[in-house]
Amino acid sequence: LVGRGLVRRFGAVEAVAGVDLDVVAGGSVAVMGPSGSGKSTLLHLLAAIERPDAGEVHLGGERIDRLGETGRTALRRRRFGFVFQSGHLLSELPAEENVALPLLLEGHPRRRAVAEARRWFGPLGLDGLERRRPGELSGGQAQRVTIARAMVARPAVVFADEPTAALDRATGAEVVDLLVRTTAAAGSGLVIVTHDPEVAARCDRTVVLRDGAVAPPPPSRGVATPA
């Protein structure tokens, strides 16, 4: 996934101001910055949720920012996975059907979709929870189900927006480690928006936004030479 010169304006405010970002297969990028710095807006541009006012987004050689709403909706369902703070699980469905949902929406037979969904429960530490509904899961278990749902369609890129914000520190660390390992093993790129430097440290690299632009790295400290 490649973003070049991305700009997004809301009135007179430039929420994203000329950002370049590459996401490689199997690699992970953390996007950090203060509130209002443009982190979530950048994620929305890369994930084809919003269209940029300027710039380009390419996936596998295809320019996706030019797609219409129908094309972008299909792209998000087929090529991208999403893990959000609240999980967005459907309370009336058991965990296995929540995971299978992207496949069901693509018209896969229910039996096959659920069977594929169940394959993710063991690797994600969810064995035995297939028939539980979201209200019967802990916060950490619910986020693992969300990761399974994000991965079930074998996405090119997974986008995670503050995935640990509702979790305690220990559970959050487990979820992020699992997310990074799972996407890397599947060859999916990963973009995590986070305020937490410990979450960012688990990614391959970190991009810091300030006022919608990528902040320059801090100057390296010189080594003092003895007199």
Side-chain angles (χ1 to χ4, degrees), residues 8 40-41 43-52 64 69 72-73 75-76 80 82 84 159:
R8 184 72 170 102
S40 292
T41 302
L43 182 149
H44 291 169
L45 298 179
L46 294 169
I49 295 171
E50 298 180 29
R51 298 177 73 173
I64 64 174
E69 184 60 38
R72 287 186 290 119
T73 298
L75 174 80
R76 291 193 300 268
F80 294 152
F82 296 91
F84 294 113
F159 297 93

Side-chain angles (χ1 to χ4, degrees), residues 99-171:
V99 173
L101 195 57
L103 301 179
L104 295 170
L105 291 173
E106 280 295 292
H108 290 257
R110 183 186 178 282
R111 184 188 298 269
R112 187 185 306 166
V114 171
E116 178 63 26
R118 286 175 179 162
R119 292 178 56 188
W120 291 93
F121 278 71
L124 293 174
L126 293 167
D127 272 335
L129 304 181
E130 290 85 353
R131 297 301 300 168
R132 290 196 186 179
R133 284 173 166 71
E136 300 171 316
L137 301 171
S138 69
Q141 289 168 342
Q143 279 300 63
R144 287 169 184 250
V145 171
T146 304
I147 293 170
R149 186 182 61 187
M151 296 300 301
V152 73
R154 312 285 175 172
V157 184
V158 173
F159 297 93
D161 196 351
E162 299 286 0
T164 65
L167 305 176
D168 62 73
R169 186 163 295 276
T171 304

Side-chain angles (χ1 to χ4, degrees), residues 7-31:
V7 175
R8 184 72 170 102
R9 303 182 186 94
F10 297 97
V13 176
E14 238 178 23
V16 175
V19 172
D20 297 340
L21 187 67
D22 292 8
V23 184
V24 301
S28 54
V29 182
V31 180

